[in-house]
């Protein structure tokens, strides 16, 4: 038999508070939130009194929706916060509650509780309210409920002083909602983005965002334009601040892994003040996903991970499509699941990363991609921590030193390397035709494994301008001089260059391709100059080279594009790169494909 | 010996030995221990299991690394070797035994796609 905490209702209502109050749920009512999540208003009893000004925090909505919280059940109120309204009434926000006796086991209402009236002035609200009865009635009438909701929405000066200091009342992040605007929170900044600017038809602007955490949870905060100027330089990651009067709205979960239904925007009234006493605010809130589990997550998901940096590669620089140069570095992360995943860092983070000594690396808000199977990327929104001071890090360190260091680990990211090549896009030569690659307005690139079945040795060489960077065909002036139109100069010599037309085939289809200098030399196994010489001097040796080159198999990286010459459109394929077949990689890929097909 | 060369020899690992008793097989594995007499040695497959290989004549050379054995599986699950072939470790790409094992599993999981015309019986 559960004994209710007699006196708890009074204590909660008058602000004295009560830990682990055992209460009976008398009534629960859904309040439609309009554009946001619904709220549930609850009436609780301690056997002596009832109080209907309890609100369920949105993270507990599921308890109401799943009928865990139903009238007559007995619960323990584990965590709550009491907010004061302008008229002195209190609202208790339920942050954590546990049902210790389901309704079926309770024979109706326990005791004979009466509604608690806290004796405060139940003053009329300025808004025209027909019956402003205090909401502390046993029966929750509709109109009363609406009253209470209106109070919540009202922007009235609250009991909380504007300037947070020793006397201010701090509320937990988990209790923040759009219906109350007068609050102060005390939280640590775990992640701050850089200032981003935009310029569109409606004008320009700038923004920055950050994530903050306290004991109850975390939330994402964004500041625009003037707020950027006001707050950006003030905020330091890792420090604790009192923040008040931001606006709350429904969170856009696409860009963040932060667990909160809402996100905050700083406005003209918001204040951010550094807090000196910060030892009990947690450092960071992360919901780490095991690396082995990443296979089950959808691509483009935002996740938090932690692992040992087993290996790290050198920084490389590459040029993006928008012709920006950016630094990139990949590292390999392993955790106790025995699985490895490749993580890509960009920009300054990539350059500054110090991976020696196999540190523990934690990344909050990394983006999961299906590149190579599964891989992670640190975006501008992610926070990376090296050897963080959190229990998971110590656990990993202990595990790694004992057994992890000897494990090979199984990588979720199959295709590693490929300098600068972002996507390999394996296709059969039949796919290239059936998928109409190259038919769009941009060229398509694909990789394939194919065998050379024909090489055209006629007209594979041409005479090119001897200048360093010029490869234009020169005109033979017939007087021992060769003219280059591009350089507008004449030369007594030229350099031979290759344009090799070849037919390559795989089991599915064949394809005519053009190979330029580098790829042609790789296929023929000779340089252009030597070939040119041979063609003039020793024809049978020249032919022999082509014979030898025929029927070799390579990995081709090709570019296809539809090109139009005089009303005729043809698909042109060019070999960008030729490589010997890596049989291990090929085998692994085939086995993966076979298994995938077998599973369907 | 001539007889075994004419017959298809499915590639197997240790877990499949029992299904191929009295059949000709091809077993690829890493040499573990060689018996002092030189007439017997153990090989480890890609899954980490070991099998015993018996020879007609004692070994005349050092056996190490990856070896491909062709022979008959005895009632006791041992391989009576007709011939063996040591894969050179100093040349080419190192042999990936685990990958070979994965390929083996594929061949046995999809026999309809790998019709190596296994004889109905011996």
């Amino acid at each position: 038999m559960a004994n209710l905490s007699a006196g708890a209702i009074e204590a909660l209502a008058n602000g004295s508070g009560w830990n682990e109050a055992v209460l009976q749920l008398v009534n629960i009512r859904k309040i439609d939130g309009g554009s946001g999540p619904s709220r549930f208003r609850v009436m609780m009893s301690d056997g002596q009194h009832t109080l209907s000004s309890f609100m369920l925090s949105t993270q507990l909505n599921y308890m109401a929706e799943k009928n865990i919280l139903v009238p007559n059940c007995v619960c323990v109120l584990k965590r709550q916060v009491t907010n004061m309204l302008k008229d002195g009434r209190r609202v208790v926000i339920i942050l954590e509650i546990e049902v210790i006796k389901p309704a079926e086991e309770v024979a109706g209402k326990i005791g004979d509780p009466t509604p608690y009236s806290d004796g405060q002035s139940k003053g009329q609200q300025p808004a025209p309210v027909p019956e402003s009865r205090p909401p502390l009635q046993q029966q929750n009438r509709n109109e009363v409920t609406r009253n209470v909701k209106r109070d919540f929405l009202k922007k009235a000066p609250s009991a909380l002083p504007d300037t947070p200091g020793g006397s201010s009342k701090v509320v937990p992040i988990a209790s923040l909602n759009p219906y109350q605007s007068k609050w102060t929170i005390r939280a640590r900044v775990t992640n701050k983005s850089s200032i981003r600017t935009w310029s569109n038809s409606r004008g320009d602007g700038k923004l920055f965002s950050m994530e903050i955490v306290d004991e109850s949870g975390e939330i994402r905060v964004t500041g625009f334009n003037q707020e950027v100027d006001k707050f950006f330089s003030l905020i330091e990651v890792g420090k604790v601040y009192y923040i008040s009067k931001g606006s709350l709205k429904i969170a856009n979960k696409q860009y963040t892994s932060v667990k909160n239904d809402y996100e905050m925007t700083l406005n003209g009234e918001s204040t951010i003040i550094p807090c000196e006493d910060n030892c009990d605010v947690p450092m960071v809130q992360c919901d780490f996903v095991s690396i082995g589990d990443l296979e089950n997550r959808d691509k483009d998901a935002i996740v938090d991970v932690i692992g040992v940096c087993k290996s790290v590669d050198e920084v490389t620089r590459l040029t993006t499509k928008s012709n920006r140069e950016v630094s990139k570095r990949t590292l390999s992360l392993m955790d106790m699941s025995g699985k490895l995943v490749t993580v890509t860092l960009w920009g300054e983070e990539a350059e500054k990363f110090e991976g020696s000594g196999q540190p523990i690396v934690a990344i909050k808000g990394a983006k999961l991609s299906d590149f190579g199977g599964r891989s992670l990327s640190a975006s501008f929104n992610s926070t990376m921590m090296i050897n963080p001071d959190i229990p998971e890090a110590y656990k990993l360190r202990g595990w790694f030193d004992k057994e992890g260091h000897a494990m090979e680990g199984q990588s979720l990211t199959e295709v590693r390397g490929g300098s600068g090549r972002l996507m390999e896009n394996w296709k059969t030569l039949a796919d290239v035709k059936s998928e109409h690659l190259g038919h769009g307005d941009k060229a398509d690139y694909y990789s394939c494994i194919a065998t050379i079945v024909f090489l055209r040795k006629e007209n594979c060489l041409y005479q090119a301008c001897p200048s360093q960077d010029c490869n234009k065909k020169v005109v033979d002036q017939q007087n021992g001089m060769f003219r280059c139109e591009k350089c507008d100069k004449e030369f007594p010599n030229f350099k031979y260059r290759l344009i090799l037309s070849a037919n390559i085939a795989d089991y599915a289809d064949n394809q005519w391709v053009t190979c330029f200098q580098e790829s042609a030399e790789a296929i023929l196994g000779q340089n252009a100059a030597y070939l040119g010489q041979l063609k003039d001097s020793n024809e049978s040796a020249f032919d022999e080279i082509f014979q030898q080159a025929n029927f070799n198999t390579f990995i081709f990286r090709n570019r296809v594009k539809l090109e139009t010459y005089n009303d005729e459109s043809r698909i042109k394929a060019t070999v960008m790169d030729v490589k010997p077949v890596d049989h291990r990689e090929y085998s692994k890929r085939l086995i993966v494909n076979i298994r995938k097909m077998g599973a369907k | 010996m001539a007889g075994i060369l004419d017959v298809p020899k499915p590639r197997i690992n240790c877990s499949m030995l029992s299904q191929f008793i009295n059949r000709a097989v091809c077993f690829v594995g890493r040499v573990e221990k060689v018996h002092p007499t030189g007439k017997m040695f153990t090989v480890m497959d890609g899954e980490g299991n070991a099998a015993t290989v018996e020879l007609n004549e004692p070994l005349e050379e050092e056996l190490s690394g990856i070896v491909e054995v062709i022979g008959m599986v005895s009632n006791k699950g041992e391989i009576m070797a007709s011939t063996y072939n040591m894969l050179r470790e100093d040349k080419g790409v190192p042999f990936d035994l685990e990958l070979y094992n994965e390929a083996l599993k594929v061949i046995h999981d999809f026999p309809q796609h790998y019709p190596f015309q296994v004889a109905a019986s011996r």
Side-chain angles (χ1 to χ4, degrees):
Chain A
M1 196 183 61
N3 284 325
L4 303 181
S5 309
I9 290 290
E10 178 167 357
L12 288 168
N14 68 24
S16 339
W18 192 288
N19 280 338
E20 308 275 317
V22 180
L23 304 169
Q24 181 178 33
L25 194 151
V26 179
N27 199 359
I28 180 162
R29 182 173 282 275
K30 185 170 175 175
I31 300 174
D32 199 354
S35 62
S38 319
R39 299 307 301 264
F40 286 91
R41 186 163 170 214
V42 190
M43 179 192 278
M44 305 295 284
S45 146
D46 65 355
Q48 281 184 352
H49 295 113
T50 61
L51 186 65
S52 66
S53 32
F54 285 86
M55 294 288 291
L56 206 59
S57 71
T58 54
Q59 69 225 37
L60 299 182
N61 276 6
Y62 74 93
M63 292 182 87
E65 283 152 5
K66 288 199 152 69
N67 289 323
I68 299 172
L69 292 173
V70 285
N72 287 336
C73 70
V74 177
C75 326
V76 172
L77 189 55
K78 306 209 90 149
R79 245 183 344 131
Q80 73 277 3
V81 64
T82 312
N83 284 337
M84 185 112 95
L85 302 178
K86 165 194 151 190
D87 62 357
R89 274 178 298 143
R90 286 201 153 78
V91 172
V92 180
I93 312 275
I94 300 173
L95 298 174
E96 201 181 320
I97 187 168
E98 194 184 304
V99 177
I100 54 173
K101 218 162 196 266
E104 306 81 62
E105 291 178 30
V106 183
K109 204 169 0 160
I110 297 175
D112 188 17
T114 52
Y116 180 79
S117 75
D118 53 17
Q120 300 249 12
S121 66
K122 307 164 192 95
Q124 282 282 351
Q125 305 300 334
V129 170
E131 297 171 305
S132 67
R133 291 159 69 174
L136 309 170
Q137 290 293 350
Q138 203 137 344
Q139 305 301 108
N140 266 342
R141 304 238 166 75
N142 270 342
E143 59 270 34
V144 175
T145 314
R146 262 184 247 121
N147 272 359
V148 175
K149 186 186 170 191
R150 238 176 261 144
D151 295 336
F152 288 169
L153 288 173
K154 206 168 292 295
K155 276 188 191 281
S158 80
L160 301 172
D162 283 350
T163 50
S167 58
S168 77
K169 188 152 148 216
V170 163
V171 299
I173 285 181
S175 73
L176 290 175
N177 62 73
Y179 314 115
Q180 285 168 293
S181 55
K182 299 300 177 266
W183 44 258
T184 301
I185 53 172
R186 182 179 71 172
R188 191 187 302 273
V189 176
T190 57
N191 176 16
K192 179 175 97 164
S193 79
S194 46
I195 300 180
R196 306 191 85 210
T197 58
W198 77 83
S199 181
N200 59 25
S201 52
R202 289 189 294 177
D204 308 334
K206 55 185 172 184
L207 70 93
F208 84 101
S209 65
M210 61 180 183
E211 285 161 20
I212 57 176
V213 67
D214 73 359
E215 305 87 347
S216 73
E218 49 177 4
I219 191 167
R220 185 176 155 82
V221 181
T222 309
F224 292 91
N225 303 318
Q226 284 151 331
E227 278 67 54
V228 175
D229 298 326
K230 253 202 285 186
F231 298 122
F232 186 78
S233 35
L234 168 68
I235 305 270
E236 279 177 71
V237 175
K239 293 227 157 60
V240 180
Y241 300 88
Y242 288 107
I243 302 175
S244 69
K245 298 203 205 137
S247 349
L248 274 300
K249 62 173 197 202
I250 303 296
N252 182 345
K253 295 271 173 92
Q254 201 190 355
Y255 296 118
T256 176
S257 67
V258 169
K259 297 196 178 26
N260 199 313
D261 288 332
Y262 302 113
E263 56 181 340
M264 191 194 303
T265 308
L266 301 168
N267 57 50
E269 293 194 343
S270 311
T271 65
I272 301 186
I273 297 184
C275 164
E276 301 313 311
D277 169 30
N278 55 14
C279 40
D280 43 346
V281 179
M283 291 292 289
V284 69
Q285 275 242 6
C286 277
D287 189 15
F288 292 118
V289 175
S290 146
I291 292 179
D293 216 23
L294 288 175
E295 290 176 300
N296 303 329
R297 297 297 176 107
D298 295 328
K299 70 168 217 157
D300 294 339
I302 310 263
V303 292
D304 303 336
V305 286
I306 186 168
V308 181
C309 171
K310 207 153 191 268
S311 65
V312 63
D313 303 318
E314 295 286 313
V315 176
T316 56
R317 281 190 84 74
L318 48 99
T319 316
T320 68
K321 284 199 196 130
S322 38
N323 278 325
R324 264 188 315 128
E325 272 226 337
V326 69
S327 304
K328 169 182 159 182
R329 190 198 287 267
T330 48
L331 60 105
S332 171
L333 213 59
M334 172 151 115
D335 69 4
M336 296 193 267
S337 66
K339 296 272 163 75
L340 281 163
V341 70
T342 301
V343 181
T344 308
L345 305 176
W346 302 93
E348 223 181 279
E349 211 172 46
E351 287 162 18
K352 291 205 290 209
F353 183 75
E354 186 44 69
S356 56
Q358 293 174 318
I360 308 286
V361 174
I363 307 184
K364 187 172 163 58
K367 186 147 182 203
L368 185 63
S369 123
D370 62 354
F371 173 57
R374 280 287 180 271
S375 54
L376 290 168
S377 176
S379 71
F380 70 90
N381 258 335
S382 319
T383 317
M384 181 171 70
M385 293 159 274
I386 317 240
N387 288 324
D389 186 13
I390 51 180
E392 287 90 341
Y394 293 113
K395 266 203 287 207
L396 265 167
R397 180 96 264 153
W399 162 81
F400 190 73
D401 290 341
K402 270 221 302 259
E403 23 172 313
H405 67 272
M407 284 176 83
E408 255 310 307
Q410 205 194 347
S411 180
L412 300 180
T413 316
E414 291 158 1
V415 181
R416 306 256 237 118
S419 46
R421 229 194 300 152
L422 293 176
M423 271 297 178
E424 248 162 350
N425 200 22
W426 293 98
K427 296 282 174 207
T428 67
L429 294 177
D431 292 337
V432 176
K433 296 188 183 159
S434 66
E435 292 175 17
H436 299 298
L437 291 180
H439 281 246
D441 24 70
K442 282 210 297 188
D444 283 318
Y445 293 83
Y446 67 88
S447 294
C448 66
I449 294 197
T451 307
I452 298 177
V453 291
F454 182 81
L455 288 165
R456 184 170 288 138
K457 58 183 199 271
E458 297 77 33
N459 298 325
C460 64
L461 286 159
Y462 72 97
Q463 297 162 334
C465 174
S467 323
Q468 183 75 305
D469 290 314
C470 181
N471 293 328
K472 182 143 179 73
K473 184 169 174 173
V474 289
V475 181
D476 190 341
Q477 307 280 62
Q478 302 297 338
N479 57 2
M481 296 298 277
F482 301 88
R483 180 171 171 73
C484 174
E485 294 297 340
K486 193 158 151 202
C487 302
D488 198 20
K489 278 194 351 191
E490 281 193 358
F491 302 92
N493 59 349
F494 57 83
K495 62 186 188 224
Y496 271 118
R497 282 188 69 85
L498 284 159
I499 298 189
L500 185 60
S501 188
N503 188 285
I504 61 175
D506 63 15
Y507 69 87
D509 207 326
N510 69 351
Q511 171 98 54
W512 283 99
V513 297
T514 307
C515 310
F516 291 102
Q517 186 83 341
E518 290 78 21
S519 34
E521 285 179 339
I523 287 174
L524 294 171
Q526 295 294 349
N527 64 42
Y530 180 64
L531 281 163
Q533 197 184 43
L534 221 49
K535 178 153 164 276
D536 297 331
S537 60
N538 187 345
E539 200 163 330
S540 54
F542 182 75
D543 291 345
E544 179 68 17
I545 290 181
F546 282 82
Q547 287 282 62
Q548 287 299 317
N550 207 7
F551 299 117
N552 289 321
T553 306
F554 296 98
I555 295 178
F556 289 91
R557 176 107 186 122
N558 292 346
R559 172 190 189 274
V560 273
K561 180 112 182 54
L562 190 64
E563 305 211 347
T564 316
Y565 295 140
N566 312 329
D567 303 333
E568 209 186 276
S569 293
R570 290 241 222 119
I571 284 285
K572 289 280 177 169
T574 317
V575 176
M576 307 299 295
D577 188 51
V578 163
K579 277 202 321 210
V581 178
D582 179 342
H583 293 279
R584 279 183 72 202
E585 187 197 273
Y586 186 29
S587 288
K588 285 186 187 152
R589 200 170 56 250
L590 286 172
I591 289 176
V592 166
N593 287 342
I594 290 174
R595 291 293 176 195
K596 271 198 216 154
M597 287 199 285
K600 286 196 198 142
Chain B
M1 163 89 160
I4 204 169
L5 290 178
D6 298 336
V7 145
K9 297 157 281 287
R11 292 178 173 277
I12 60 163
N13 61 18
C14 286
S15 61
M16 304 165 192
L17 276 169
S18 51
Q19 295 153 17
F20 286 85
I21 294 194
N22 285 324
R23 303 248 304 262
V25 297
C26 174
F27 191 99
V28 175
R30 190 180 298 279
V31 177
E32 278 255 284
K33 268 185 79 79
V34 181
H35 196 266
T37 61
K39 288 193 76 174
M40 200 165 84
F41 59 92
T42 54
V43 273
M44 178 110 98
D45 70 8
E47 285 177 342
N49 300 319
T52 312
V53 177
E54 276 190 31
L55 300 163
N56 293 326
E57 279 107 31
L59 283 166
E60 280 168 25
E61 57 179 344
E62 269 295 329
L63 205 62
S64 70
I66 309 280
V67 72
E68 183 182 53
V69 178
I70 292 179
M72 300 284 289
V73 182
S74 74
N75 294 330
K76 291 188 290 169
E78 290 174 347
I79 303 170
M80 316 304 285
S82 303
T83 177
Y84 71 85
N85 172 26
M86 232 186 351
L87 302 187
R88 294 184 69 149
E89 292 184 298
D90 53 336
K91 264 188 157 184
V93 178
F95 190 83
D96 187 336
L97 198 56
E98 284 80 29
L99 189 57
Y100 174 81
N101 194 66
E102 288 301 309
L104 220 53
K105 291 203 288 204
V106 169
I107 293 175
H108 287 268
D109 285 346
F110 302 103
Q112 70 272 36
H113 296 297
Y114 298 95
F116 292 127
Q117 270 101 34
V118 179
S121 52
R122 23 227 126 124

